[in-house]
Amino acid sequence: MGLHQVDIGSDAYQQPGEVLAERIGARKKELGNKLLVLCHHYQQEAVYRFADMTGDSLKLAKHAAACTDKPYIVFCGVHFMAESADILTGDSQAVILPDLRAGCPMADMAQVEEVSWAWKELGQVSDASRIIPVTYVNSSAAIKAFVGERNGSVCTSSNAERVLTWALERGEKVFFFPDEHLGRNSAVALGIKPEEIVLWKRGEHLGGNSGETIRRAKVILWNGYCTVHMQFSAAHVRMWREKDPAVKIIVHPECRHEVVAGADRYGSTENIIRAVTDSPAGSRWAIGTEINLVKRLARQNPDKEIHSLSPFQCLCSTMYRIKPKYLLWVLDNLVEGEVKNQVTVDPGTAKLARIALDRMLAI
Ligand code: 13P
Ligand code: SF4
């Protein structure tokens, strides 16, 4: 994605956390009803504490769409989420990403040019009109527009199985991108046979497959992945099972299939929060998702034992780019009537991407 973040000037913003927090609180008060701060669950605490609303990507997209009265939406998350919010909000609303370098490596693994090329190749060995494209919400607006234009849908980690079912009822095959693992985990959960699930390797002719393999496939998976969730392994699952036979293991579906298969449960960040929060006192959990969420769950549930599934800190470094000083900088500017770091999607792309997003919200 490679968006540039302007230098905010270190002197005014290089201050102790408590000073920045006080200043952010004051700016929020000044902006009052004009402002909505949305925070994804992976945000660091120093930012998350200022959220008006929190959620996983599906919930945040719904919040953005529902808050039609807020002229300024400060999105503490990553770029593709801010793009979705811009598509779902009105023309008079500005969606602001405090640090424009907050992208998602997985979303960057599917550029619209390479997906369009792959689509053409698929059409050479099968009937493209019988293929339904499905993109994970972790993708650029241009990719969502590509999907909208071809009667496909967006999905999130909360509804991937439902969207996949919808797509398979409408076509012979699904082309799923960018996340191989969410696609595979959802396809396996729906009972699709392993030989009907095919991997499309980026940059290879026919994704490294024969025409025959493609013709037999039901689900074709782009080989993108999340650099954070790939850090959890089957060895971590075994380690916990040996250490504590009573521990419950819950993981995000962006983890490899062997990790999901070894876990007790899997689900989106919202599902993970619900499962842990609703469990009885004394429960013990090993959680395979981003560390800021795991630590927050541990703090919020002192009556339970909560650990990361991995002994190492699995941090989403791009989510982590949203620092209090950048949040303060955009709010300072809003008070002065200056909108900095607005994320906009051009109207042509937004119109087509909205078709794919609305389809998801309707499924
Ligand atoms: P959720 O849809 O669970 O919020 O996941 C978004 C994400 O980026 C996870 O890596
Ligand atoms: Fe992207 Fe993974 Fe970070 Fe989510 S956790 S924003 S998928 S890199």
Side-chain angles (χ1 to χ4, degrees), residues 22-49:
E22 225 171 87
R23 289 174 60 190
I24 293 169
R27 287 312 200 190
K28 276 199 75 184
K29 264 200 200 121
E30 278 174 77
L31 289 159
N33 279 336
K34 286 196 263 180
L35 175 71
L36 176 71
V37 178
L38 295 178
C39 279
H40 189 268
H41 293 304
Y42 297 167
Q43 288 293 300
Q44 57 193 287
E45 219 44 44
V47 167
Y48 194 85
R49 60 189 283 198

Side-chain angles (χ1 to χ4, degrees), residues 42 78 104-106 138 226-229 254 316 318-319:
Y42 297 167
V78 287
C104 165
M106 178 205 283
N138 295 33
C226 166
T227 47
V228 178
H229 289 95
E254 287 171 14
C316 178
T318 50
M319 284 269 182

Side-chain angles (χ1 to χ4, degrees), residues 40 42 56-57 80-81 136 138 157 226 229 252 254 268-269:
H40 189 268
Y42 297 167
D56 63 1
S57 22
F80 74 81
M81 297 181 182
Y136 187 21
N138 295 33
S157 52
C226 166
H229 289 95
H252 196 279
E254 287 171 14
S268 71
T269 47

Side-chain angles (χ1 to χ4, degrees), residues 41-43 45 48 54 248-252 267-280 283-309:
H41 293 304
Y42 297 167
Q43 288 293 300
E45 219 44 44
Y48 194 85
T54 63
K248 289 262 173 289
I249 297 179
I250 187 164
V251 301
H252 196 279
S268 71
T269 47
E270 280 292 328
N271 289 331
I272 293 174
I273 293 168
R274 217 170 307 126
V276 172
T277 311
D278 293 349
S279 65
S283 307
R284 297 196 292 281
W285 290 92
I287 307 179
T289 196
E290 209 271 348
I291 194 67
N292 280 292
L293 174 56
V294 178
K295 283 185 175 166
R296 186 172 308 117
L297 283 170
R299 272 195 304 278
Q300 290 172 345
N301 294 272
D303 57 335
K304 296 160 202 168
E305 241 187 66
I306 293 166
H307 304 274
S308 169
L309 179 66

Side-chain angles (χ1 to χ4, degrees), residues 42-309:
Y42 297 167
Q43 288 293 300
Q44 57 193 287
E45 219 44 44
V47 167
Y48 194 85
R49 60 189 283 198
F50 293 108
D52 296 311
M53 287 174 171
T54 63
D56 63 1
S57 22
L58 178 61
K59 203 164 160 190
L60 290 176
K62 285 182 174 167
H63 283 324
C67 291
T68 51
D69 59 328
K70 304 285 182 188
Y72 305 132
I73 298 176
V74 173
F75 207 113
C76 301
V78 287
H79 192 265
F80 74 81
M81 297 181 182
E83 277 191 330
S84 297
D86 181 55
I87 293 164
L88 294 169
T89 49
D91 291 345
S92 60
Q93 296 175 284
V95 176
I96 294 158
L97 185 65
D99 185 337
L100 287 176
R101 293 166 300 183
C104 165
M106 178 205 283
D108 290 347
M109 287 176 202
Q111 300 293 324
V112 73
E113 297 79 11
E114 33 178 14
V115 172
S116 307
W117 184 255
W119 186 261
K120 258 193 218 132
E121 288 196 337
L122 280 174
Q124 287 161 7
V125 293
S126 60
D127 179 1
S129 70
R130 302 290 299 141
I131 306 176
I132 308 289
V134 172
T135 185
Y136 187 21
V137 72
N138 295 33
S139 55
S140 67
I143 285 280
K144 293 183 179 87
F146 173 93
V147 166
E149 206 175 1
R150 288 163 184 80
N151 301 317
S153 176
V154 174
C155 76
T156 73
S157 52
S158 316
N159 59 21
E161 285 165 34
R162 218 167 336 132
V163 174
L164 211 52
T165 305
W166 168 90
L168 285 167
E169 281 164 8
R170 269 151 197 83
E172 268 168 18
K173 302 183 196 305
V174 172
F175 190 21
F176 188 98
F177 32 83
D179 188 15
E180 172 191 342
H181 305 287
L182 177 65
R184 186 182 306 285
N185 288 320
S186 310
V188 170
L190 292 177
I192 296 169
K193 296 190 205 105
E195 61 273 22
E196 293 173 330
I197 305 172
V198 164
L199 190 63
W200 184 281
K201 295 190 199 120
R202 288 172 274 141
E204 291 189 27
H205 177 61
L206 282 182
N209 300 288
S210 66
E212 191 43 42
T213 311
I214 297 285
R215 280 187 286 277
R216 269 205 322 265
K218 265 201 167 157
V219 178
I220 303 162
L221 303 171
W222 193 256
N223 70 339
Y225 55 87
C226 166
T227 47
V228 178
H229 289 95
M230 285 296 276
Q231 293 174 49
F232 299 103
S233 69
H236 295 146
V237 173
R238 282 196 299 276
M239 178 190 82
W240 275 102
R241 296 284 184 223
E242 277 163 27
K243 197 161 138 178
D244 182 359
V247 78
K248 289 262 173 289
I249 297 179
I250 187 164
V251 301
H252 196 279
E254 287 171 14
C255 294
R256 285 186 195 88
H257 183 61
E258 69 220 53
V259 178
V260 169
D264 296 296
R265 300 173 69 161
Y266 70 95
S268 71
T269 47
E270 280 292 328
N271 289 331
I272 293 174
I273 293 168
R274 217 170 307 126
V276 172
T277 311
D278 293 349
S279 65
S283 307
R284 297 196 292 281
W285 290 92
I287 307 179
T289 196
E290 209 271 348
I291 194 67
N292 280 292
L293 174 56
V294 178
K295 283 185 175 166
R296 186 172 308 117
L297 283 170
R299 272 195 304 278
Q300 290 172 345
N301 294 272
D303 57 335
K304 296 160 202 168
E305 241 187 66
I306 293 166
H307 304 274
S308 169
L309 179 66

